[in-house]
Amino acid sequence: MTESDFATRINGHRAYLLRVAVLQLRDPALAEDVVQDTLIAALQGEAGFSGRSSVKTWLTGILKHKIVDAIRKKSREPAMSTLDEESRIEDFDALFDDTGHWESPSSDWGDPEAQLGRTQFFDIVEFCLEKLPPNTARVFMMREVMELDGSEICKELSITSTNLWVILYRARVALRLCLEEHWFAARSRTA
Amino acid sequence: MGILISCKDASRLISQMQDGQLPFGRRMAVRLHLLFCDACTVFLRQLRFLRATMQRYTRD
C-alpha cells in the first residue's frame, strides 16, 4: 500500500474517532487535539499495523491511549469536582417501591445481535451517552469502551471503588432507561 | 444485607458484578435472588447487552 493510500484510509475514520473522543472528553477542542495526535501516531506507526485487526480497531486502540493521557492531565484540574454530585445513589431510589421491588420492570431486549447490525441503533446509543452527566459518561466509557479495570479507573481519577460502583450503576441504569424509551419502546410502537 | 436481598440491592450487586468478582456471600445472594426474580434477570441481560453494544461500537 502506498503512503497516501494509508493516509486516506486512516482519515476515513476521523469523524468516528472524533465522536468517540467528544463523548468521552466532553471538550470539543481537546477531542480535536487527541484525534490529531492519534492520526499522527497512526501515520508514524504504520509499520505497527499488522493487518490482523481492522484499521478501525487499531486506530481505536491508539485513541484509547491518547484519551487516557488527556484524562490524566485533566483530572488534576477542578473540572472533575462534579464527580461527588454524580456519585449519589439515592437518585435512583424512585426506580424501586418501598419494599425494594422494581417500580416498573422493563422488557427483555432479546438478542443483541438483532439490534447491533442496525446503524440507527448506534445513533440512539450516542444520543443516550450524550445525555449522561459528563463524568458519568467518562467513567462509563473508560470501563466499557476503553476496557480499563475498576482499579485503574479509580487510580486515574482518584476516586474510591464505592464511588466507581455508584457511577457505573448510575450510567447503566440511565442508559437502560434511555435505550428503552428511545429505541425499544419506539420500535414496538411502530412494529 | 443477608442472603435474601431486595431488587434494589440485587440490581446494584448485578452492576458491580460487571466490574469484578463479588465476595462469596454476595454472589450467592444474587444467584438465589435471580432464581426467583424475572425483573432482575432481565436487568442482568440488559447490562450484558450494553457491554456487547459498547464493544461493537468501537469494532467493525
Side-chain angles (χ1 to χ4, degrees), chain A residues 140-158:
Chain A
F140 178 76
M141 303 237 341
M142 285 174 96
R143 179 74 191 103
E144 301 290 353
V145 177
M146 297 160 69
E147 299 176 81
L148 299 177
D149 300 352
S151 58
E152 286 174 277
I153 300 171
C154 290
K155 204 177 103 204
E156 294 301 342
L157 301 178
S158 312

Side-chain angles (χ1 to χ4, degrees), chain A residues 32-66:
Chain A
E32 278 282 356
D33 290 348
V34 165
V35 169
Q36 200 58 40
D37 285 354
T38 301
L39 296 175
I40 291 168
L43 285 173
Q44 286 169 345
E46 184 185 345
F49 176 62
S50 62
R52 261 175 306 190
S53 57
S54 69
V55 174
K56 183 181 175 187
T57 306
W58 180 65
L59 287 170
T60 306
I62 301 173
L63 180 72
K64 286 176 188 176
H65 288 289
K66 300 291 178 193

